[in-house]
Amino acid sequence: MPDGVESHPHPREDGYVQVVSGRIASCGLRETMHVVCWGHKHFAKPPSDMFVQLTAGTDHMCGLKLDGSILCWGQNSNGESASGRTMLSNPSVVF
């Protein structure tokens, strides 16, 4: 595999209800409302929160949580989150 890319084993006990892709990674929303990501290593460990919808930016992902808040993870080079950091190694609440 190329540098910075990790494989992720995909459990098969349920299906996906949504899959989104950015430039360097993809994430899937499973029927359990949990997220699985693959591609660049910064996406290998998505948040453990439950989501109802996902969206992908170029180098980041965001998800709409059950409580209506939005959580983003990945790169933040264009200010996708209000954190002020360039890398969202920990998910960041946006709204």
Side-chain angles (χ1 to χ4, degrees):
M1 293 204 140
D3 276 351
V5 176
E6 295 182 359
S7 63
H8 183 77
H10 301 290
R12 300 287 181 201
E13 57 272 353
D14 61 339
Y16 291 94
V17 296
Q18 183 185 14
V19 175
V20 297
S21 293
R23 180 174 64 101
I24 61 175
S26 298
C27 292
L29 180 61
R30 300 191 63 87
E31 290 175 349
T32 61
M33 303 179 112
H34 290 97
V35 177
V36 176
C37 295
W38 55 95
H40 196 277
K41 65 182 178 182
H42 294 295
F43 292 90
K45 294 182 182 174
S48 60
D49 303 80
M50 295 177 78
F51 293 90
V52 296
Q53 188 173 359
L54 299 177
T55 189
T58 302
D59 297 325
H60 70 283
M61 305 288 174
C62 293
L64 177 63
K65 292 177 50 175
L66 287 173
D67 66 4
S69 63
I70 298 171
L71 195 63
C72 295
W73 60 98
Q75 292 185 354
N76 187 40
S77 54
N78 295 309
E80 293 85 352
S81 126
S83 70
R85 296 171 298 173
T86 57
M87 180 58 64
L88 299 174
S89 54
N90 294 314
S92 176
V93 175
V94 178
F95 297 100

